[in-house]
Amino acid sequence: MRIRTIALLLILFGTLAVFSPADAQNAPEASERGKEVYEDSCAHCHGVEGRGDGSAAENLLPRPRDFTRGLYKIRSTEAGQLPTDQDLFDIITEGMPGSSMPEWETALSTDDRWQLVAYIKTFYPGFKENETPPKQITLAGKISYAEQSVEIGKELYVELGCVECHGNVGRGDGTSAPTLEDSWGFQTWPANLTQGWTFRGGYDTEDIFKRFIGGIAGSPMPAFEGDSFLNFGLTAEESKRLIELENRDEMTEAEEEESGKFYEKMDAAVDIALTIQEGGEVSAADIQTYNDAMKIVYEKSWHLANYVKSLMPEKRPEPAIGNNVLRSQYVQGALPAIDDAVWETFEARYFPLVGQVVIEPRQFNPTIDGVHVKSFYNDTEVAFLFIWDDRTHTTDETDENTGKTLEDALAVQFPVKVPQGPTAPKPYFLWGGRLPVYLWHWKASMPEQVTELTAKGINNAEVQEVQGELEVQSDYTDGQYKLWVKRALKTEDKKDLQLEPSVFVPIAFSAWDGSNGDVDTKRTMTSWYTFVLEPVPSSRRFVYPPLIAILSVGLLFGLRAFVQRRNSEEV
Amino acid sequence: MKTYLLASLTLLLACCYVGIVGITFADHHEAGEMEMLVFPEKYKPMAVSNGGTISGVVKFEGDKPEMKVLEITKDPKVCGVTEKYDESLVVGEDNALKNTIVYLIDISQGKDFDKEAKLEIDQKECKFTPHVQIVPVGQRLTMLNNDRVNHNVHIFSKINRPVNKQQTKNQKKLRIAAVKKAEGPVAVECDIHGWMSAWIAYVPHPYFAVTNEKGEFTLEEVPAGTYKLGYWHEACGTNNETPVEVTVEAGGTVTQDFTLKLK
């Protein structure tokens, strides 16, 4: 018995030593075990035969991958190449954020994940036929993040045409975005480069670098390698000179000849690059020429990767709970309008949205990531600024399947009556139930108007007879909505929420992306969060902090109770 | 042992099928199965003297269809100068059917490729010309960009590896690496301008022709013999099931016309 344990331990350590994650590995031979695990854990999405047509596939976008075409998005390899075994192992281990592909690190052992790599490779004969291992992208020579590098990268972003799909500031709202299809004919959206956490393959600078150099196979995203770059094969000085020559109205004969020489040089460099790609013979001198040319391309690519990195926060913002609860700031006098610079001084609170999947029709493939909110109030009014990204400005589109009108929209939800104390029951988060909710409903087709609703359920909302005097401003620029709403703290209408400082008020959101088919219950949502009108700074400030502390503790317990209750409801 | 043999035999057969015939894949351009060209197992170039000619006209059966105008959703100043049409079905005077590939299915030896032939697809006003391009295996295709806008050249190969490369407005020429295996036709698209569409056939021998606006095709320097004559058309499909047999005599000319209808 003991001997067996020791033997097992030895084997374990042995494998650990061999399987150290630092160096890349190859998969074992495909085995029965791989098939077994695959059919248990993967086939309901990817299909028994790997065609991406499992029973759960139909509702999902992006679709679970069809493995029979050998198209893999997240690779460390050059354009057109297959992934390495390590690439496949890593993506299975980590999953693909922004899609329904789960991570398998928790559920499956390392051995099983390697068996899966071997097994999914059998679906595409190209893995076997390829005698030479795929060529990997060199990460040597990384240029570290610096403002100057970001500036150069910004120019490349435009020059190389990333902007066509990813838009001016990277929100995935480029003019080509609405018509993109993947290699299986399904609609697909360019990544929102300001939200790295939604990337399939990670958002370290190295990840970004690999993605655009190698391309994202199966998607419209092209590869940007070698001759996609301006004047490939010329040195920086030569390139500058050529651009200078070409900008002349007229060239002398000598200059014509000079520019001709540059073109010959570029042609020769491309020729070598293609020969290498085709697996042909090249001389040592050719390889030198090629390496020199690629060095410049790789330098530019690091600048570009640094620029893309500069578009996003370091990590996904924390949701607006605990220390990050939304606190409306008190100001004396008029509240700032939508375009007031004062808003910039205030850090937004982040409310992540998820697809509504409780009630039909559901949204399994949400495209809106979250709402960012800021707020100010004065003695009589409160103003909110809601900010969210949406790749398209949709005001009037017809849904092909249902014939319904699709448009972008946002709803802000409050209880009609603020629960007395943190443990008092709140209305059901899906637009209320027995306890009603009070809603502000904004639609892109009526950008200067918010409708007040009272709802007792997601399909049970009524427009309030008395519409309060809400002031509304909105804006859509570069893939981002801004909605500004101002209302009196107190109103005459009994169906409205009444606000006063220091009271924690539940708040929740629903958002609709018309171009993603969102309509009615098919939408993205949050459950309840809270916000508070930060107490007026005054001589009594000694009283407030302890009070807030007590309230916060109470709130935490309340939240816990809420989560527990929801969990038990879900079971 | 026996089962092992059987298994490898099936595998071998499967491989042959993929390699030679070009398996029919569901393509995203068509709801159903996309029909492919059929290639000989082997082809040996040799000098052809006193070869014959096969020529003919391909016509469309039925009323001449209206050409669908494409919606220009982007860069209208460059792409929208003239109206663009869906070229999946171009029917001219007398119902002449353009863009049909007519070819010899089962030729195993004959002339070599014309090495001087220009292998280009032009991108002008956000339209590919020609709509159907024959590219010999082992030779490079050149994409021209005559627009002051960015394009991306997306070639949806399935037997060879697919290609998707950016061709910016600064790159007049973008050369595409040669492929090793015969395949096709495969779709060529520009994702940036979603309406742009063309086809490439990667072929192992030179007996392929594409019909012009009069529906005409000519295959020249065909060694005397009897061959299966095939066709492929984007909207009308293929005659893979029922290829026509033609007999070419030394120095002679055979005429073979086709009338195609929508699949």
Side-chain angles (χ1 to χ4, degrees), chain A residues 160 164 175-176 227 271 278, chain B residues 74 140 165 171 178 192:
Chain A
L160 290 168
E164 309 285 355
T175 44
S176 294
D227 54 349
D271 205 55
E278 289 158 357
Chain B
K74 188 168 160 131
R140 290 173 189 161
K165 264 182 115 161
Q171 292 164 282
I192 292 176

Side-chain angles (χ1 to χ4, degrees), chain A residues 397-428:
Chain A
E397 222 171 74
T398 310
D399 188 18
E400 278 169 25
N401 301 322
T402 60
K404 286 192 173 155
T405 304
L406 304 175
E407 66 172 310
D408 299 335
L410 185 81
V412 188
Q413 166 180 306
F414 310 94
V416 175
K417 289 223 161 43
V418 178
Q420 297 299 304
T423 51
K426 296 188 195 79
Y428 189 43

